[in-house]
Amino acid sequence: MSIDVKLILNQKLFLRDPQESSLGKKIIIQSVVLIEKLGFELFTFKKLAHEINSTEASIYRYFENKHLLLLYIMTWYWEWIDYVIDINWNNIDDDKQKLSIAIAIIADASEDEFTQTDIDLKLLHHIVIAESTKVYHTKLVDKENKKGLFLTYKKLAEKFVHLFEALNPSYPYPRVLASTLLEMSNSQVFYAQHLNRLTDIEVKREDYSQLKTVMEHFAFNLIGK
Amino acid sequence: MSIDVKLILNQKLFLRDPQESSLGKKIIIQSVVLIEKLGFELFTFKKLAHEINSTEASIYRYFENKHLLLLYIMTWYWEWIDYVIDINWNNIDDDKQKLSIAIAIIADASEDEFTQTDIDLKLLHHIVIAESTKVYHTKLVDKENKKGLFLTYKKLAEKFVHLFEALNPSYPYPRVLASTLLEMSNSQVFYAQHLNRLTDIEVKREDYSQLKTVMEHFAFNLIGK
DNA sequence: GTAAACACGATAGTAATACTATTATATATG
DNA sequence: CATATATAATAGTATTACTATCGTGTTTAC
């Protein structure tokens, strides 16, 4: 078992770095499987411990609680997306093209062929779609934000902001547009799967092409030329 | 104690109609106060029972669990918004003006002077901003959706969809735009208050004017003319 | 090569949560 | 006045979200 892509995450997310031991890696790999299966509310450390033939107490040595484990997983995802965008921007100079590429990646990064990891990226994507808003919709947001626990997400949004500023320096709402696109990439898929009257798009068999089209429509029309 | 605005909500949201008894009304009024104060995760029926000098068992006679109580509260809010929009559309024929009005109301309905209720509308608005996505981000979405528990929200979105269709019959993404605007009305405020690098707007002292402006920018620019 | 440090598993225990059930009493209804 | 109903009071259960302690096997340091 190995996580070949090693991303550097905020140390305050964990008590012991899960990327540094085989138990730690098992915790991450299996928590992705279990959270996707049970949903975050029904996911417990006890159930996870059982899956990996370990104990609750051992998992608690890595993560203070399941909320921080979820935040770790989300942060891993955002950090990975950021990295995939950078790779795919290599040698691209045109900002419009860069925007299209970045949109395609947040719509569905799991097709990326360069990533080598034991984390199931499709399951992780499903978790992000279904659970991501829960990491900041808590009474602890401000405290966790002060510790820098949301920096990765904000950095990813900034990436879009910089592009919008390059494409149209006078556009008044680059941050709103960036955060809205990031949200859409999750919520519209969720609606397509569960509340389809709230969207016009379809997502069947991991085909996110319609999502990508809508996101481009939003981005390019709002930013103007 | 009385809830003068009586909205008709899906019967499957509750075991006993909280609008039909004084205990029921207390449950709703105080749960709004408590959920806003504690956040949904730390809110419990035991704490609520204590606040209203009642018991857990009594509250369980009204609501199966706290999730359905939250959904009830959210549904009340959306139903109320829908009602406020209808009132404010009275005698307005211009679709652009109707859209502006509807946007202003979802940005901040609590200014509405016609509503007479013991529910604290500003606190309720805060709950919607912080907790609304939790009502459908569960493993029960599909079951609850089949029971019609999200009809009020979908109906509200449809209202926008119909407007977009009237304004531009060839616009390809009316549902995406509707659900995105509804989401923005919560998320952008949350960002302004807690993760302000994710937004360009400011919301200070319940002044939602900048939110309204951004939402109009999105709606009118995307829908075209 | 051995001692110390460490990681992990095993076990136990606690307070709180999310309920369910039963009974007694007060109140409303017919 | 009898009855039905709503609620309060109480008790109890399984699960959750932890915390603490201890023993053992493995790694690391010198």
Side-chain angles (χ1 to χ4, degrees):
Chain A
M1 243 176 220
S2 73
I3 299 176
D4 297 329
V5 182
K6 195 174 240 166
L7 303 167
I8 294 149
L9 307 185
N10 191 321
Q11 306 256 110
K12 288 178 183 163
L13 285 167
F14 48 78
L15 298 171
R16 191 193 302 285
D17 189 344
Q19 294 188 108
E20 294 299 322
S21 75
S22 89
L23 177 62
K25 286 170 194 164
K26 273 195 225 165
I27 290 171
I28 301 306
I29 291 163
Q30 270 307 118
S31 66
V32 167
V33 176
L34 251 195
I35 293 172
E36 202 268 346
K37 185 177 167 191
L38 304 176
F40 184 62
E41 283 72 27
L42 297 180
F43 167 83
T44 69
F45 277 4
K46 192 167 197 172
K47 291 171 186 168
L48 174 59
H50 182 253
E51 289 289 321
I52 60 177
N53 295 312
S54 182
T55 61
E56 270 186 283
S58 295
I59 297 167
Y60 274 106
R61 280 191 209 100
Y62 284 82
F63 293 99
E64 257 180 81
N65 50 54
K66 72 173 184 171
H67 169 249
L68 284 167
L69 171 56
L70 182 68
L71 183 50
Y72 178 94
I73 286 171
M74 293 292 162
T75 305
W76 191 96
Y77 178 84
W78 295 321
E79 198 66 53
W80 170 63
I81 291 282
D82 194 80
Y83 157 86
V84 175
I85 290 174
D86 282 340
I87 291 177
N88 283 274
W89 274 359
N90 194 25
N91 294 320
I92 311 279
D93 290 317
D94 181 52
D95 288 325
K96 281 190 181 180
Q97 213 187 325
K98 286 174 85 173
L99 181 51
S100 281
I101 290 169
I103 285 174
I105 291 164
I106 60 168
D108 182 21
S110 71
E111 298 303 329
D112 180 74
E113 54 219 87
F114 301 108
T115 307
Q116 188 61 39
T117 173
D118 287 320
I119 296 173
D120 187 320
L121 296 172
K122 290 212 194 296
L123 295 186
L124 178 54
H125 188 201
H126 298 165
I127 294 177
V128 172
I129 289 163
E131 322 281 1
S132 62
T133 66
K134 295 173 190 171
V135 299
Y136 52 81
H137 280 140
T138 77
K139 283 285 168 185
L140 295 172
V141 216
D142 296 333
K143 263 187 199 165
E144 296 186 338
N145 189 34
K146 260 187 197 152
K147 287 194 204 163
L149 301 191
F150 301 110
L151 276 173
T152 299
Y153 191 67
K154 291 191 275 189
K155 189 181 64 181
L156 181 57
E158 300 276 350
K159 234 184 174 99
F160 283 86
V161 170
H162 294 324
L163 265 189
F164 299 148
E165 285 169 350
L167 283 160
N168 180 355
S170 65
Y171 183 65
Y173 305 115
R175 290 166 194 279
V176 172
L177 183 52
S179 57
T180 300
L181 286 175
L182 285 169
E183 269 186 74
M184 282 179 70
S185 71
N186 298 323
S187 61
Q188 294 298 321
V189 174
F190 191 86
Y191 297 150
Q193 292 166 341
H194 302 290
L195 300 161
N196 58 73
R197 308 210 63 149
L198 294 178
T199 191
D200 305 281
I201 68 164
E202 281 196 354
V203 179
K204 297 246 156 103
R205 273 170 256 106
E206 309 284 336
D207 172 9
Y208 298 89
S209 55
Q210 292 185 34
L211 170 65
K212 195 187 145 190
T213 308
V214 184
M215 285 172 39
E216 287 196 347
H217 159 74
F218 266 63
F220 287 111
N221 278 285
L222 287 169
I223 207 75
K225 181 218 26 293
Chain B
M1 243 177 220
S2 74
I3 299 175
D4 296 330
V5 183
K6 193 173 243 168
L7 303 166
I8 293 147
L9 306 186
N10 190 320
Q11 305 256 107
K12 288 178 182 164
L13 285 167
F14 48 78
L15 299 171
R16 192 193 300 285
D17 189 343
Q19 294 187 106
E20 293 300 322
S21 75
S22 90
L23 178 62
K25 287 171 193 166
K26 274 196 223 167
I27 289 172
I28 301 306
I29 291 164
Q30 269 308 118
S31 65
V32 167
V33 176
L34 250 195
I35 293 173
E36 202 267 347
K37 185 176 167 192
L38 303 176
F40 185 62
E41 284 72 27
L42 297 180
F43 167 83
T44 68
F45 278 3
K46 192 170 198 172
K47 291 171 186 168
L48 174 59
H50 182 252
E51 288 291 321
I52 60 176
N53 295 312
S54 180
T55 62
E56 271 184 283
S58 296
I59 296 167
Y60 274 106
R61 275 188 219 102
Y62 284 83
F63 293 99
E64 254 179 86
N65 51 53
K66 72 174 184 170
H67 169 250
L68 284 166
L69 170 56
L70 182 67
L71 184 50
Y72 179 95
I73 287 171
M74 292 294 162
T75 304
W76 191 96
Y77 179 83
W78 294 322
E79 199 67 55
W80 170 63
I81 292 282
D82 194 80
Y83 157 85
V84 174
I85 289 174
D86 282 340
I87 291 177
N88 283 273
W89 274 359
N90 194 25
N91 294 321
I92 310 277
D93 290 316
D94 181 53
D95 288 325
K96 281 189 180 181
Q97 212 187 327
K98 286 173 87 173
L99 181 52
S100 281
I101 289 169
I103 285 174
I105 289 164
I106 61 169
D108 182 21
S110 71
E111 298 303 329
D112 179 73
E113 57 221 83
F114 301 110
T115 306
Q116 187 62 38
T117 172
D118 287 319
I119 295 173
D120 188 320
L121 296 171
K122 290 210 192 299
L123 295 186
L124 178 54
H125 188 201
H126 297 164
I127 294 176
V128 172
I129 288 163
E131 322 281 0
S132 62
T133 67
K134 295 172 190 170
V135 299
Y136 53 83
H137 280 139
T138 77
K139 283 285 167 185
L140 296 172
V141 217
D142 296 333
K143 262 187 203 165
E144 295 185 340
N145 189 35
K146 260 186 197 152
K147 286 194 204 161
L149 301 191
F150 300 111
L151 276 173
T152 300
Y153 191 65
K154 291 191 274 189
K155 188 181 64 180
L156 181 57
E158 300 276 351
K159 234 184 172 100
F160 282 87
V161 171
H162 294 324
L163 263 188
F164 299 148
E165 285 170 348
L167 283 161
N168 179 355
S170 65
Y171 183 65
Y173 305 115
R175 288 164 194 279
V176 173
L177 183 52
S179 58
T180 300
L181 286 175
L182 284 170
E183 269 186 76
M184 284 179 69
S185 71
N186 297 323
S187 62
Q188 294 298 321
V189 174
F190 190 86
Y191 297 149
Q193 292 167 339
H194 301 290
L195 301 161
N196 57 73
R197 308 211 63 150
L198 294 178
T199 192
D200 306 282
I201 67 164
E202 281 197 353
V203 178
K204 297 247 156 101
R205 272 168 259 106
E206 310 284 336
D207 172 9
Y208 298 88
S209 54
Q210 291 185 36
L211 171 65
K212 195 187 144 192
T213 306
V214 184
M215 286 175 33
E216 288 197 345
H217 159 75
F218 266 63
F220 286 111
N221 278 285
L222 287 169
I223 207 72
K225 172 220 36 295

